[in-house]
Amino acid sequence: MNTYRSDDAMTLAAEQGRICALAAKGQRDLQRQAAAHPELFSARPFDPALYSSIAMAMAFSSPSCTTEELRFANRAVLWGFALDWQVDYLAKSREAVDRITADTLAVVDGAAPTVEDPLGRFLAELRDELARSPGYPTARSLWRDAVHRTLAAMAREWDWRASTAAGRPPSYEEYLDNADNLACTVVNVAHWIRTGDADVHRRLPELVAASDQVQQVLRLVNDLATHERDREWGDLNAITLVGDPAEVARRAADLTESCRKTLADLADRWPREATYLTRQLGYTNGFYGSTDFWGNR
C-alpha cells in the first residue's frame, strides 16, 4: 500500500524547482544571444518556446552544473540549431553547403569569421570561451572532429533529400549511422571539455562512443515524435524509410537497452558523465512524448 509522504514530495518539488530556476536563467541568456545575432534567429521556428526547451533539456540533463557551465552548453545547443537551419533550409545549393562547412571548420581552427558569416561569429564566441578551459589543449582535436562529423552528416542529409526526391532514398542503416546530423555529440564533447577534469579529457574517446549510441536513440525518438512535421518540411525520417512507426519504436527500445548497459559500465569510472547521458536519454524520451523543439515554420 502506497503511503503519501509530504516531506518526500516537498523535497522532490524543491529539487525540480531548483532545476527549473537553472533553466529560466538559461532561457533568458539564450534570448539575449538571439537578440545579439538577429541574422541567425529571426525565422519563425526560433520562438521563445525553443529557447525554453533548450534550457530545460540541459538543466534536467545536468542539474549538478552551475549556471555558468550550463550557459555555455545552452549556447552550444543553440548554435547547433542555427547550423541545422542554415544547411537544411537556407542553403539552396551544394556549393552553399560546402561553403558553410569550409567557413565553420576555419573558425574552429582559429580563423576570424567574415562579416558575411553570422554563424561563424557565433561559433567564434563559443570557441574562444572553450579555449579558456584547462582541458582544451588536450581535447581540441576531438571537438574539431565532432564539428566536422556534424557538418558532414548535415551535408549528407542535404544530398539525401535530393536523391530521395528522385526515388533513391538512403537505407535505414545509412540513415541511423548519420545521426551526427542531430548535433548532440558535438555539444556533449564541448560540454565535457568545459566541465570535465583531466581524467575525463584523457578518456573522451570512450565517452564520445557512448554519446554516439545515445545520439542514435535520440534520432529515432525524435523521428517518432516529428514524423508529420518532417513530412511537411520535406525532411527525412526513419518512419518513412522503415514504413512502420511500431517497428521504429521497437528498434529505439532495443537501442535504449544497449545504451543502458554501456552507461552502467561507464558509471563506475565517470559517474557524472554517465549520469548526464542517462538523464539526457530519459529527458528526451519524455519531452518528445508530446512536443518538439522547433516552433512553427
Side-chain angles (χ1 to χ4, degrees):
M1 178 178 179
N2 292 330
T3 303
Y4 173 68
R5 297 285 298 275
S6 62
D7 290 346
D8 291 347
M10 188 175 296
T11 299
L12 177 61
E15 173 63 5
Q16 291 171 337
R18 185 189 67 80
I19 295 171
C20 288
L22 288 173
K25 293 177 181 178
Q27 178 183 353
R28 290 179 180 127
D29 178 73
L30 290 177
Q31 288 177 311
R32 287 192 292 269
Q33 288 298 302
H37 298 276
E39 310 97 319
L40 292 179
F41 303 111
S42 60
R44 285 184 62 192
F46 293 99
D47 65 358
L50 182 139
Y51 307 130
S52 173
S53 298
I54 291 172
M56 197 74 73
M58 294 308 298
F60 271 93
S61 295
S62 198
S64 64
C65 281
T66 65
T67 301
E68 190 71 8
E69 289 170 336
L70 283 177
R71 179 187 59 77
F72 175 83
N74 291 336
R75 292 181 181 185
V77 175
L78 184 61
W79 177 82
F81 274 91
L83 173 63
D84 186 41
W85 185 255
Q86 293 281 321
V87 173
D88 266 10
Y89 301 106
L90 298 187
K92 303 304 180 185
S93 67
R94 192 54 160 81
E95 290 74 16
V97 175
D98 291 342
R99 184 168 57 252
I100 292 170
T101 298
D103 291 347
T104 299
L105 288 178
V107 170
V108 169
D109 288 336
T114 65
V115 176
E116 297 81 18
D117 184 14
L119 186 68
R121 290 200 301 275
F122 190 14
L123 179 61
E125 294 172 8
L126 294 172
R127 176 202 64 198
D128 292 347
E129 180 170 350
L130 193 62
R132 294 192 289 271
S133 302
Y136 185 74
T138 302
R140 185 186 72 84
S141 62
L142 281 173
W143 179 57
R144 187 191 192 281
D145 179 63
V147 174
H148 183 270
R149 287 199 296 152
T150 300
L151 290 163
M154 289 186 177
R156 193 172 296 116
E157 179 146 330
W158 195 95
D159 291 337
W160 283 344
R161 292 175 73 178
S163 65
T164 299
R168 300 187 306 277
S171 68
Y172 167 81
E173 290 73 20
E174 290 172 325
Y175 175 78
L176 190 60
D177 284 343
N178 202 51
D180 276 304
N181 76 315
L182 201 62
C184 174
T185 290
V186 67
V187 170
N188 293 345
V189 171
H191 181 57
W192 288 325
I193 293 173
R194 181 75 171 77
T195 63
D197 59 20
D199 184 52
V200 167
H201 297 149
R202 283 193 299 269
R203 304 302 297 271
L204 264 179
E206 190 169 354
L207 289 172
V208 169
S211 176
D212 285 346
Q213 282 187 260
V214 171
Q215 186 173 240
Q216 287 192 335
V217 177
L218 301 189
R219 173 74 279 167
L220 297 184
V221 170
N222 176 294
D223 285 2
L224 286 165
T226 62
H227 184 219
E228 293 301 321
R229 189 209 69 193
D230 289 340
R231 184 166 56 184
E232 178 186 342
W233 288 18
D235 285 344
L236 290 171
N237 187 290
I239 294 175
T240 304
L241 298 175
V242 173
D244 181 6
E247 175 60 18
V248 174
R250 185 193 66 77
R251 297 183 188 190
D254 288 346
L255 286 174
T256 299
E257 186 58 31
S258 177
C259 280
R260 287 178 183 274
K261 296 175 182 177
T262 297
L263 296 175
D265 179 60
L266 285 179
D268 292 335
R269 287 163 288 165
W270 303 292
R272 189 186 192 197
E273 288 69 32
T275 298
Y276 167 74
L277 288 175
T278 301
R279 291 182 67 95
Q280 185 178 70
L281 188 60
Y283 180 88
T284 306
N285 268 281
F287 179 86
Y288 276 122
S290 59
T291 191
D292 182 20
F293 282 88
W294 288 111
N296 291 327
R297 187 173 180 182

